[in-house]
Amino acid sequence: MSLLPYLDVGLALLIVGVAVWIIAARDLFASVVSYVAYGLLLAFVWIRLYAPDVALTEAAVGGGVTGVLLITAGKRLGALKSIAPEAQPGLAFKLLIGVLAALVAGALGAVIMMLPDPPPSLAPEAAAAAAGAGAGLGNPITAVLISYRSFDTMLEKIVLILAVVGVWSVGTDKAWGDTPAPFRRPKPYAPMVFLAQMLAPIGALIGIHIFWVGANAPGGAFQGGALLAAMWMVTMMARLVEPPRVDAQWLRLALVAGPAVFLIAGLAGEVVAGSFFAYPPGLAKPIILVIEAFMLVSITAALPMLVAGPPSERSEQ
Amino acid sequence: MTPSVLAGLVGAALVGLGLYGLIIHPHPLRKLLAFNLIGSGVFLVFGLVARRGAAAGFAFDPVPQAMVITGIVVAFAASAVAVALILRLAVEAGRVTLDPEAWSRPKGEDAK
Amino acid sequence: MIELLDLFCFAAISAGTFFFFAGTVGLLRFPDSLTRMHALAKADNLGLGLVALGLILRADSALSALKLIVIWALVLLSGASTAQLIGRALRRGRK
Amino acid sequence: MSELLFLAAGLIVLTVAVGLARILRGSDDVERLMAVQLLGTGGIAALLLIAYATNVPGVEDVALGLALLAAFATIAFINLIDAEQGDIEA
């Protein structure tokens, strides 16, 4: 008689409960804060699914960085007190949508109960990729990301850049080239400066450690980059470093470095190893390491820019 | 019922909840939260598929898990763009709404 | 010897669980925000600390054990500093 | 022994969830943030307990990440409040 099933069911109920609260809460900010808690609970489920890599990504990106993004948005929107209470949909409409949503969830649930047996799996191919082209990578997920499905990973980095471009382009013309707004404080505040000074070096160390062990253990450029990005944001919030102007050359170079290096390596594979994104055997590990290092730089640069939002003009004083 | 099937069912429930919230809520940020719920529900179903596909000496199929990692980052990027749009919309319109008629009414003269 | 270590692990984890329990009771029973924050700090600092201490004995390697200590230290640092920040925000909010 | 770890993890998640429910129903934004911090700490503890009992490798790194980000939301929130109110005393 094990306690584990009860724990799993309890956890599942808790997650669904928090999700219901996100949807049902009257207050906008309560809903946003619950979402941060929800991201944390999801990390748990991923541990139970034997996916520590995903748990780490969920904790860092899903819970941490997204949480700050949403809290910033929620607080700023909540400050707009002029909002008239919007017309809520009527009860009949809500009921109808409820039935529709329940049907969709039920259908999905039925599909889940009827998944094919034996389950299809790409694991053998991924294992081959880890042993072949991604030589020397003990972590199969890193092997998949960087070798077996390398094209996906590169395009995903390009999506990040496109998102940064999208966010920046929402700003006003007058503010173009200036720094993003949310990290500006009037004055440094001692306890926050202390916290940032203690946290940032340790955090940078941990971020690089997680990036480095990613070859063989849970971790990698995504997770390490997200932690480094979080630490950069903390130092900016404490006014230890100034946020960069969005037209700064080094910032743009850092943003593009990851996908650019990835693309060059991919094209070089066509010439050297005979196919696009093939790595020459023997050199695979160092090449992958270089690509990952530049991706780390790009992720670290992109995430804070996405959270900070478009550039906005400094108020003239 | 194994823990992974349970996680998959939680994913299905989250998709349903998110869909409901996405349609019901007039507030764009609430819609964004609901949309993220749908996303994470789908990721959990991927997690179930990955766990079921355990083979070749792994406790899981690494391909769906790697796709979820990519997905989480892309979902974050999309959320960031959405938040930027919502904030700009709020600044321009002076109120937070997706109601197209709000634009034709002058500021301050909100719906009764 | 093994039993002695297990006993220590058991004791530390039980004590840690107790402090989480105490933190929540404080959260439910205390009258205002500042005292509730005080209750939470117990869960943060002692609860997690004792659980980490109990698990150190079961860690696979010295590096894992070190990481457990760093986790505790990080939470101590953040807990203490954010208590300061939150306390100030609460005090200002009431003016 | 692992049953004991599950029991401890379950109790921690339960108490933390009760605290979370209590605070989320309240009306103070700062207290809501405190609740998330409590969930963060309890979450790290329960995560470590469960992972040690089920032998998932590399979980210390997940907990490290969570511990590192424990204060992140709070810092951002306090920063926003300060930016709104201006630094009157500081």
Side-chain angles (χ1 to χ4, degrees):
Chain A
M1 193 60 222
S2 170
L3 281 170
L4 193 55
Y6 295 99
L7 199 59
D8 282 328
V9 172
L11 200 58
L13 290 177
L14 188 59
I15 288 189
V16 175
V18 173
V20 168
W21 184 249
I22 293 174
I23 298 296
R26 288 257 171 77
D27 184 67
L28 172 69
F29 196 74
S31 173
V32 168
V33 168
S34 322
Y35 189 83
V36 180
Y38 168 82
L40 212 123
L41 289 170
L42 273 187
F44 259 94
V45 181
W46 286 111
I47 287 289
R48 288 294 300 129
L49 287 168
Y50 288 83
D53 290 83
V54 186
L56 196 51
T57 316
E58 183 63 51
V61 180
V65 186
T66 309
V68 169
L69 173 78
L70 291 171
I71 283 181
T72 311
K75 197 70 194 156
R76 287 166 106 191
L77 289 178
L80 287 172
K81 288 292 177 212
S82 62
I83 317 159
E86 297 221 31
Q88 290 285 331
L91 190 65
F93 181 68
K94 277 188 176 174
L95 212 61
L96 181 72
I97 300 303
V99 170
L100 171 79
L103 277 177
V104 170
L108 195 54
V111 170
I112 286 168
M113 300 311 287
M114 292 186 296
L115 281 175
D117 207 34
S121 176
L122 289 168
E125 285 166 58
L137 294 177
N139 182 356
I141 294 175
T142 307
V144 169
L145 281 173
I146 208 84
S147 170
Y148 182 63
R149 294 188 66 90
S150 47
F151 205 68
D152 270 11
T153 311
M154 189 199 74
L155 287 179
E156 182 252 348
K157 289 290 150 326
I158 293 178
V159 166
L160 271 186
I161 294 183
L162 287 179
V164 172
V165 171
V167 167
W168 281 354
S169 61
V170 176
T172 55
D173 282 351
K174 247 174 79 189
W176 177 248
D178 214 326
T179 55
F183 297 144
R184 285 200 209 121
R185 286 175 52 84
K187 256 193 214 163
Y189 172 50
M192 204 182 272
V193 170
F194 170 76
L195 181 58
Q197 277 174 337
M198 297 292 284
L199 213 54
I202 304 172
L205 186 68
I206 293 174
I208 292 171
H209 165 77
I210 283 177
F211 157 70
W212 183 254
V213 299
N216 292 310
F222 288 95
Q223 296 90 339
L227 289 182
L228 288 180
M231 289 307 113
W232 190 22
M233 280 186 256
V234 166
T235 51
M236 282 193 280
M237 288 178 198
R239 287 301 284 271
L240 279 176
V241 294
E242 291 297 313
R245 293 175 58 85
V246 299
D247 56 2
Q249 198 99 51
W250 64 267
L251 179 64
R252 297 186 174 191
L253 272 177
L255 283 173
V256 185
V261 169
F262 209 154
L263 192 60
I264 291 168
L267 290 173
E270 175 77 43
V271 180
V272 180
S275 88
F276 200 45
F277 278 110
Y279 307 119
L283 278 177
K285 181 104 194 239
I287 290 178
I288 287 172
L289 205 60
V290 169
I291 294 174
E292 284 236 294
F294 279 97
M295 286 201 331
L296 183 78
V297 171
S298 284
I299 295 170
T300 309
L303 297 191
M305 291 302 110
L306 286 173
V307 172
S312 67
E313 40 212 303
R314 269 168 206 285
S315 49
E316 307 291 326
Q317 278 148 1
Chain B
M1 192 186 298
T2 62
S4 38
V5 172
L6 186 66
L9 290 179
V10 169
L14 291 175
V15 169
L17 270 170
L19 188 65
Y20 176 78
L22 182 66
I23 299 175
I24 286 296
H25 280 299
H27 195 295
L29 196 65
R30 301 293 292 267
K31 278 188 195 295
L32 180 62
L33 287 174
F35 195 73
N36 271 316
L37 280 191
I38 300 183
S40 49
V42 173
F43 292 153
L44 281 184
V45 177
F46 264 68
L48 162 67
V49 172
R51 184 79 175 100
R52 278 169 53 92
F58 300 137
F60 49 82
D61 182 350
V63 177
Q65 283 200 7
M67 289 171 82
V68 169
I69 292 179
T70 309
I72 290 175
V73 178
V74 171
F76 164 73
S79 302
V81 176
V83 162
L85 282 172
I86 293 170
L87 285 175
R88 186 65 204 270
L89 191 68
V91 169
E92 287 297 309
R95 55 180 92 79
V96 196
T97 179
L98 292 177
D99 176 14
E101 296 188 359
W103 290 86
S104 53
R105 286 194 296 269
K107 282 183 193 177
E109 215 181 277
D110 272 319
K112 285 103 216 167
Chain C
M1 192 59 202
I2 298 293
E3 275 126 38
L4 202 65
L5 286 181
D6 266 357
L7 193 71
F8 180 76
C9 176
F10 171 79
I13 290 175
S14 309
T17 312
F18 168 76
F19 277 106
F20 273 106
F21 179 71
T24 302
V25 170
L27 204 63
L28 297 180
R29 298 294 302 159
F30 280 157
D32 64 72
S33 298
L34 285 174
T35 47
R36 283 200 275 270
M37 196 168 77
H38 162 79
L40 280 187
K42 302 297 152 294
D44 273 3
N45 302 344
L46 278 169
L48 180 64
L50 286 167
V51 168
L53 196 65
L55 287 176
I56 281 177
L57 300 173
R58 299 169 62 86
D60 311 327
S61 62
L63 186 63
S64 295
L66 180 69
K67 280 178 185 168
L68 287 174
I69 296 173
V70 173
I71 289 166
W72 183 24
L74 278 174
V75 171
L76 273 179
L77 171 70
S78 330
S81 313
T82 52
Q84 186 87 7
L85 297 174
I86 288 176
R88 175 163 163 269
L90 285 172
R91 191 160 59 94
R92 280 174 143 204
R94 217 162 281 139
K95 275 186 184 168
Chain D
M1 192 64 198
S2 62
E3 285 308 304
L4 188 86
L5 298 188
F6 290 141
L7 182 68
L11 283 175
I12 291 175
V13 169
L14 188 72
T15 56
V16 167
V18 169
L20 188 73
R22 156 72 178 75
I23 279 193
L24 283 179
R25 276 178 45 240
S27 60
D28 192 337
D29 286 354
V30 180
E31 287 208 0
R32 292 199 179 107
L33 223 57
M34 279 156 55
V36 170
Q37 200 157 356
L38 174 68
L39 182 70
T41 325
I44 295 171
L47 190 76
L48 286 171
L49 287 168
I50 294 178
Y52 268 75
T54 53
N55 290 319
V56 179
V59 79
E60 289 95 355
D61 285 338
V62 181
L64 266 179
L66 284 174
L68 206 51
L69 298 173
F72 193 33
T74 313
I75 295 177
F77 179 80
I78 298 294
N79 216 17
L80 281 166
I81 294 188
D82 284 357
E84 260 173 34
Q85 299 183 338
D87 278 32
I88 310 159
E89 42 199 313

